[in-house]
Amino acid sequence: MDASLARAGMVDALRDAGRVCSAAVEEAFRAVPRHLFLPGLGLAEAYADEAVAVQFAGGVATSSASQPSMVAIMLEQLDVRPGQRVLEIGAGTGYNAALLARLVGPTGAVTSVDIDEDLIDRAAVHLASAGVDRVELVAGDGALGHAPGAPYDRIVLTVGSDDVRPEWLAQLAPGGRLLLPLAVRGSQLSTAFDLGPDGVLRSHSVRSCAFIRLRGAAASPDANTCLDGIGVALQVPADGPQPDAAAVAGALADPRGHRDCTVPLGSVDVWDGFGLWLALTEPGACRLLAVEPQTALPDDLLPLGAGSGTVGLVAAPGAVPGVAAVVLGGDDRAPLRVRASGPSGDALAERLLATLERWGAVERPGAPDWRFVAVPRGIDVDLPERAAVVDKRHCRLLADLPGRTIV
């Protein structure tokens, strides 16, 4: 297979799928040879629309080359212009930095920071092999940005973050754009924020994504609580009620029956469609994740084995134990059901189905329909009555659906 033909095929597919939209992003993809950033892979693998893990620690991936379609989506969100100064946090293989260098052109500047010096060294080799010499590579903690090169017109993270760091805001030029995979109550959303004159960030676009999380000063603790003896982990929002793990495990082991979902719901909707709605509108929202090949649950709540998961509601701390969760199957054509568990499971199941109906009534919004406002700590703004509020350490995140009622 010829490399130029493989690259052209990848770009044609991205354009036809609507991932590559602008002429500038298309030109960058056609100009930068991805296979040179993934030495050791065959051309078919290098130009496949797949993420490629490039570094591991303890059997867990700590860096990857992102899926080309996701790279394209984020570059379109970032809207880089010639002559701009761009800071990238998470150098990876150097491929994204090479695309950015093409977009800013000879009058712009790209700085790429990574916490791992080995990755920086390898990215330097890849960039040199591709003939890209206009990227400054910095070994450092991306949580701190890179103040010597500030201010930046664009700051982009290619790693997931739980928060909006004040260092990034301080280094962003007035009217600049910050793009990051932001954790929002269990979902990860590629969110493009524009910095307003009042110091507040307002989202321009939102897309679903899945990235390896930041390490270093901005590393977040594992949000999952393993439920002893059943091979399932519980995930609840950090800013919400924290239920008793033993009570949840006991409730899950006590199934009380199923109810059919009254609104069409596919497995994709469970995460960043209905799942995001549930997490932003219900204080008892939770996610259940299978962490063993086979769980010890008495039925098929998580039939797909390790790595599968679902969303639901869990009883408040101190209340009568119970869980209601969506039952996933392997066939999207089959209607999904809600499983009630524990003494208060039936009531929770009714509440979960009512929440599902509200989501359906506002036309089943997904991640791209939401708008977010990130208000840094220390700045006072009037909170819209209908907005959902997510409290983070460095900001308050306001979530809204323009033209639709949330609460």
Side-chain angles (χ1 to χ4, degrees), residues 73-81 84-89 100 151-157 164 168-169 171-180 190-196 200-207 371:
I73 287 168
M74 292 185 72
L75 288 178
E76 296 289 1
Q77 285 186 281
L78 196 59
D79 189 24
V80 176
R81 309 294 177 85
Q84 289 186 327
R85 301 179 62 82
V86 180
L87 173 64
E88 177 190 45
I89 296 171
L100 291 169
Y152 300 100
D153 301 291
R154 299 288 188 267
I155 297 178
V156 55
L157 276 71
V164 178
W168 306 332
L169 292 185
Q171 295 171 30
L172 191 62
R177 180 167 292 180
L178 169 66
L179 174 63
L180 75 166
S190 177
T191 309
F193 284 111
D194 290 332
L195 179 61
V200 173
L201 291 164
R202 294 172 175 85
S203 71
H204 176 271
S205 62
V206 180
R207 299 290 185 270
R371 291 296 175 264

Side-chain angles (χ1 to χ4, degrees), residues 40 62 110 128 130 162 271 369:
T62 56
V110 175
D162 278 2
W271 290 110
D369 298 303

Side-chain angles (χ1 to χ4, degrees), residues 280-281 370 383-389 399-407:
L280 288 171
T281 61
W370 289 88
L383 303 182
E385 289 185 4
R386 70 178 192 175
V389 180
D400 192 13
L401 285 168
R404 310 185 207 188
T405 301
I406 301 173
V407 293

Side-chain angles (χ1 to χ4, degrees), residues 37-110:
F37 295 83
L38 293 167
L41 278 190
L43 289 175
E45 292 83 3
Y47 288 102
D49 192 22
E50 300 287 344
V52 179
V54 297
Q55 180 175 270
F56 295 85
V60 177
T62 56
S63 182
S64 69
S66 297
Q67 185 178 5
S69 57
M70 193 69 235
V71 174
I73 287 168
M74 292 185 72
L75 288 178
E76 296 289 1
Q77 285 186 281
L78 196 59
D79 189 24
V80 176
R81 309 294 177 85
Q84 289 186 327
R85 301 179 62 82
V86 180
L87 173 64
E88 177 190 45
I89 296 171
T93 65
Y95 177 63
N96 196 62
L99 294 168
L100 291 169
R102 193 81 185 182
L103 290 168
V104 301
T107 60
V110 175

Side-chain angles (χ1 to χ4, degrees), residues 163-340:
D163 208 342
V164 178
R165 299 279 303 188
E167 293 89 345
W168 306 332
L169 292 185
Q171 295 171 30
L172 191 62
R177 180 167 292 180
L178 169 66
L179 174 63
L180 75 166
L182 183 63
V184 180
R185 291 188 175 163
S187 292
Q188 196 182 79
L189 305 175
S190 177
T191 309
F193 284 111
D194 290 332
L195 179 61
D198 55 359
V200 173
L201 291 164
R202 294 172 175 85
S203 71
H204 176 271
S205 62
V206 180
R207 299 290 185 270
S208 297
C209 64
F211 280 83
I212 293 170
R213 294 183 297 179
L214 275 164
R215 293 178 283 159
S220 56
D222 192 345
N224 300 334
T225 300
C226 285
L227 304 179
D228 292 340
I230 61 174
V232 174
L234 171 71
Q235 184 184 94
V236 295
D239 64 330
Q242 302 299 305
D244 178 76
V248 176
L252 285 172
D254 179 21
R256 300 293 181 103
H258 297 81
R259 291 166 174 77
D260 290 335
C261 291
T262 52
V263 173
L265 186 65
S267 57
V268 173
D269 299 320
V270 169
W271 290 110
D272 294 330
F274 175 61
L276 180 58
W277 169 272
L278 183 70
L280 288 171
T281 61
E282 283 286 345
C286 70
R287 299 190 179 213
L288 299 167
L289 310 171
V291 293
E292 300 290 344
Q294 288 187 325
T295 70
L297 298 177
D299 65 2
D300 61 350
L301 177 62
L302 296 169
L304 304 182
S308 64
T310 190
V311 299
L313 293 174
V314 63
V320 176
V323 180
V326 177
V327 179
L328 296 184
D331 186 351
D332 258 357
R333 294 170 297 179
L336 299 187
R337 299 179 298 163
V338 169
R339 187 248 232 191

